[in-house]
Amino acid sequence: MTLSEYQAEALKTAIYPKEIGIIYSALGMTGESGEVADKVKKTICDNGGVFDEATRLEIAKEVGDVLWYIAAMSDDLGLSLEEIARMNLDKLRSRAARHRLHGTGDNR
């Protein structure tokens, strides 16, 4: 499956007011990312940091929810998921070429 195919299928299930799309997608992405972090935290606390197959599957489901919101946010921004991925790789290649992968800041 390509990113475009995923985005097209995911958007078929996007039921929210488009006039608040960016806000809705941002909040959803944040919430689902928190669920990923919470499952990781609970694995550390409750399972001695052992990420067994069942735990990995549960985390993967939450990562899928994050991906859904990323696909929706991309659409809300008027971009395809492939365009977002390409932009990100271009940014990372530029940083690598300038030896700026380490450090902080958006525009390094």
Side-chain angles (χ1 to χ4, degrees), residues 2-3 7 13 28 30 35 41 44-46 51 58 63 65 68 71 73 76 92 97 101-102 104 107:
T2 68
L3 291 173
Q7 187 174 26
T13 65
T30 302
E35 289 186 34
K41 176 197 62 121
I44 292 167
C45 292
D46 300 340
F51 292 88
E58 291 305 310
V63 170
D65 291 340
W68 186 96
M73 172 68 82
D76 294 333
L92 293 173
L101 285 174
H102 296 285
T104 59
N107 297 308

Side-chain angles (χ1 to χ4, degrees), residues 11-69:
L11 290 174
K12 290 178 184 177
T13 65
I15 303 171
Y16 57 89
K18 289 312 242 178
E19 62 273 8
I20 61 162
I22 291 173
I23 297 165
Y24 181 87
S25 296
L27 293 173
M29 194 183 320
T30 302
E32 294 298 339
S33 296
E35 289 186 34
V36 171
D38 194 52
K39 288 192 181 303
V40 170
K41 176 197 62 121
K42 287 180 180 177
T43 301
I44 292 167
C45 292
D46 300 340
N47 203 28
V50 176
F51 292 88
D52 57 31
E53 187 175 337
T55 301
R56 288 174 184 265
L57 179 60
E58 291 305 310
I59 293 170
K61 289 177 186 177
E62 298 302 337
V63 170
D65 291 340
V66 173
L67 181 59
W68 186 96
Y69 279 104

Side-chain angles (χ1 to χ4, degrees), residues 59-90:
I59 293 170
K61 289 177 186 177
E62 298 302 337
V63 170
D65 291 340
V66 173
L67 181 59
W68 186 96
Y69 279 104
I70 292 170
M73 172 68 82
S74 299
D75 185 67
D76 294 333
L77 294 170
L79 297 165
S80 72
L81 197 48
E82 288 188 0
E83 289 172 307
I84 296 286
R86 198 171 304 112
M87 288 168 49
N88 181 254
L89 288 176
D90 289 346

